[in-house]
Amino acid sequence: MFKARALAEFAAIGDGDTAIDVVVKDAAGRVVAEDVRPIRRASDLCVCRWLPDAEQEYTIILYNYGRVYNLGQAGCN
């Protein structure tokens, strides 16, 4: 749950074994923020920031593009 008109942030970092992407969707399923990179600029550090227009729950999708385990940490404000 994120509050309206207050900066929302989500970050994820992996252990360096694979690339990751993050997509954030609002309650209606619309993408409100994403950190998605082409493979040549891939990273295992993603940060999304957005300004919610209403207090609501958001879906945060974390993609791991490797075939190996990527130990990571993620969190939000």
Side-chain angles (χ1 to χ4, degrees):
M1 185 70 73
F2 290 93
K3 296 185 184 276
R5 294 175 297 282
L7 181 65
E9 296 179 298
F10 177 84
I13 186 168
D15 63 9
D17 288 340
T18 65
I20 59 173
D21 286 340
V22 173
V23 176
V24 180
K25 295 183 179 184
D26 66 10
R30 295 179 296 246
V31 174
V32 296
E34 62 184 358
D35 190 343
V36 177
R37 299 179 190 153
I39 195 65
R40 68 183 175 276
R41 292 184 43 226
S43 173
D44 74 335
L45 171 62
C46 294
V47 178
C48 290
R49 292 182 180 96
W50 70 101
L51 193 62
D53 57 356
E55 184 171 323
Q56 61 184 300
E57 289 185 19
Y58 289 82
T59 300
I60 299 172
I61 305 165
L62 181 61
Y63 296 98
N64 177 15
Y65 290 108
R67 293 183 175 210
V68 297
Y69 183 75
N70 188 339
L71 179 64
Q73 295 183 358
C76 61
N77 63 341

